[in-house]
Amino acid sequence: MKIGVVGGGQLARMLGLAGLPLGFQFRFLEPSSDCPAANLGEIIRAPYDDAQGLERFACDIECATYEFENVPAETARWLDERLTLAPTPRALAIAQDRITEKATFRELGIPVQATAGIKSLSDIASAVRTVALPAVLKTRRLGYDGKGQRVLHASEKDAAESVRVAWVELGRVPCILESFVSFTAEVSQIAVRGRKRAHTPAIAFYPLTQNEHRGGILWKSESPAPCDPTGELAASAQQYVKRLMESLDYIGVIAVEFFVTSAGLVANEMAPRVHNSGHWTIDGSVTSQFENHLRAVAGLPLGSTHAHGSSVMINLVGRAPITARLLEIPHAHVHLYGKGARAGRKIGHVTLTAPTAQDLDDPAALLAQLAAWDS
Ligand code: AMP
């Protein structure tokens, strides 16, 4: 079976690497020629909204997916009319707009912080009445890796004026003002839901992952999450994500990011795709998130999400350390994406896997030193 993937970046590359052993072939829609997915399948080199490119991409394929959530809505609709696009355009549309996303969580009883929309100057006064500082102002659309955000501190003298300045800095585009959540940890729940209802399990959950960000970019993921020794947080994350997937009739892998607070989980955002905080599953679980995503998209039975032990993943950002040095680290699995060095760019990751978290303390410290970022 040939699977279409919109995008040819590192997530597309890892989908390809997971799918080739199962006999899948790939076709990627990607405007740049020198992309990480090159060599893993056919590349249709065209913009994501190019009519001719889309015709060539969709020709003779039954199902397609995407590796990033900013796929143009019109492209998603067009593909959905011709083939099975998974996850659905509805899930994509929710993830593309932070206001719709928070509203969806709220409707489903998934806890979120106070939020208010800002479309024009006249919305700011009422927004700061609903959301007191400290707060975070974010663009409604197209934000990623902490871009398109401004933190507003409680010490600001004039809240409305500070929000106005931040809104102008963000380009006067539609924004969301969110209460700053004073969290003790950040976690993500990665789950997969299959396409065929006759297959069991219908939904499978990976162990909860704890994430640490630096400058808005994911630095480190640990699974199982050290902040959840009793499994209580995992149980509530699974309950929320199950509700979300069932209400959207979701197909494929989803990642939902949560803040851990003294009152429990607060949902931050969802990604309708394979996710960086699930990269550890390649080396640390029975079936990786990439393979399970493809199985779901293709209508095949899901694989076990059981973890072999403990995993720690650290992103390589900006430039990669010498590969030989990384390979000297005990338990290291090195993944390089074939991308050139550039500040702030994710160019690879390293996962450490071992039977227990204690086994990983020293190797993780060494890896953290070597992987020091140029971001
Ligand atoms: P996001 O793009 O929403 O995933 O935000 C990137 C990172 O910024 C998050 O992982 C948090 O570390 C931080 N962050 C975002 N929103 C908030 C918030 N409302 N309160 C506290 N920290 C936040």
Side-chain angles (χ1 to χ4, degrees):
M1 180 189 283
K2 190 174 272 186
I3 298 186
V5 181
V6 181
Q10 65 261 24
L11 300 180
R13 176 188 179 95
M14 288 183 268
L15 284 169
L17 289 169
L20 291 178
L22 294 181
F24 291 125
Q25 292 177 313
F26 292 92
R27 183 181 290 156
F28 303 97
L29 178 67
E30 168 61 47
S32 64
S33 56
D34 182 22
C35 64
N39 304 328
L40 288 159
E42 187 188 344
I43 306 275
I44 305 291
R45 199 174 156 199
Y48 303 121
D49 55 357
D50 179 76
Q52 280 183 353
L54 278 172
E55 288 285 356
R56 281 165 56 217
F57 175 71
C59 154
D60 297 337
I61 56 173
E62 267 174 56
C63 53
T65 186
Y66 43 88
E67 62 141 16
F68 64 110
E69 53 268 42
N70 293 322
V71 175
E74 192 46 48
T75 295
R77 253 193 311 274
W78 190 91
L79 288 172
D80 191 48
E81 281 164 11
R82 280 158 186 83
L83 41 76
T84 303
L85 181 69
T88 59
R90 185 166 160 231
L92 189 67
I94 291 171
Q96 284 180 344
D97 180 354
R98 291 185 189 273
I99 295 216
T100 317
E101 184 177 50
K102 289 286 193 316
T104 305
F105 291 157
R106 230 174 247 129
E107 276 161 26
L108 292 169
I110 302 172
V112 289
Q113 70 275 56
T115 62
I118 297 177
K119 276 194 186 145
S120 66
L121 274 180
S122 60
D123 297 327
I124 292 179
S126 79
V128 294
R129 278 195 295 275
T130 313
V131 180
L133 301 196
V136 187
L137 185 72
K138 301 179 181 177
T139 57
R140 273 177 78 161
R141 294 176 172 274
L142 301 174
Y144 70 100
D145 283 349
K147 293 188 175 57
Q149 312 195 356
R150 292 284 182 282
V151 176
L152 299 151
H153 300 282
S155 55
E156 314 279 350
K157 280 202 193 74
D158 182 340
E161 176 56 12
S162 308
V163 173
R164 189 194 67 76
V165 170
W167 182 68
V168 170
E169 279 174 10
L170 290 178
R172 298 172 185 263
V173 292
C175 283
I176 181 170
L177 186 66
E178 300 179 359
S179 297
F180 188 90
V181 179
S182 122
F183 56 82
T184 52
E186 291 186 82
V187 294
S188 55
Q189 178 62 61
I190 299 192
V192 59
R193 186 164 182 267
R195 197 166 112 194
K196 298 259 166 74
R197 299 281 74 86
H199 289 151
T200 50
I203 299 184
F205 298 96
Y206 287 95
L208 195 68
T209 300
Q210 186 166 335
N211 303 313
E212 201 183 309
H213 294 82
R214 290 189 175 175
I217 305 178
L218 181 67
W219 152 249
K220 179 166 138 187
S221 292
E222 292 174 85
S223 193
C227 65
D228 187 30
T230 61
E232 212 175 308
L233 295 174
S236 68
Q238 290 186 12
Q239 191 200 341
Y240 296 144
V241 174
K242 180 170 187 275
R243 219 180 279 166
L244 181 64
M245 289 179 118
E246 284 175 348
S247 83
L248 297 176
D249 201 10
Y250 195 91
I251 295 161
V253 162
I254 195 170
V256 182
E257 295 182 77
F258 296 94
F259 298 119
V260 179
T261 73
S262 52
L265 296 176
V266 172
N268 180 30
E269 61 181 0
M270 64 179 253
R273 54 169 170 82
V274 287
H275 192 256
N276 195 170
S277 67
H279 288 3
W280 66 266
T281 63
I282 299 175
D283 307 296
S285 77
V286 176
T287 316
S288 75
Q289 63 163 347
F290 298 98
E291 180 176 331
N292 256 335
H293 186 68
L294 295 170
R295 289 184 185 217
V297 169
L300 296 170
L302 300 179
S304 165
T305 48
H306 181 76
H308 298 306
S310 287
S311 296
V312 173
M313 188 265 350
I314 288 187
N315 271 330
L316 303 176
V317 172
R319 65 191 155 80
I322 297 164
T323 307
R325 299 284 308 279
L326 292 171
L327 292 174
E328 276 170 9
I329 303 173
H331 314 294
H333 305 269
V334 176
H335 300 259
L336 300 173
Y337 308 148
K339 290 162 88 172
R342 194 201 298 157
R345 191 179 212 198
K346 291 177 185 168
I347 55 173
H349 73 268
V350 180
T351 302
L352 308 171
T353 54
T356 71
Q358 287 72 33
D359 300 326
L360 296 178
D361 286 346
D362 292 341
L366 189 56
L367 174 57
Q369 246 177 16
L370 276 178
W373 284 7
D374 175 14
S375 55

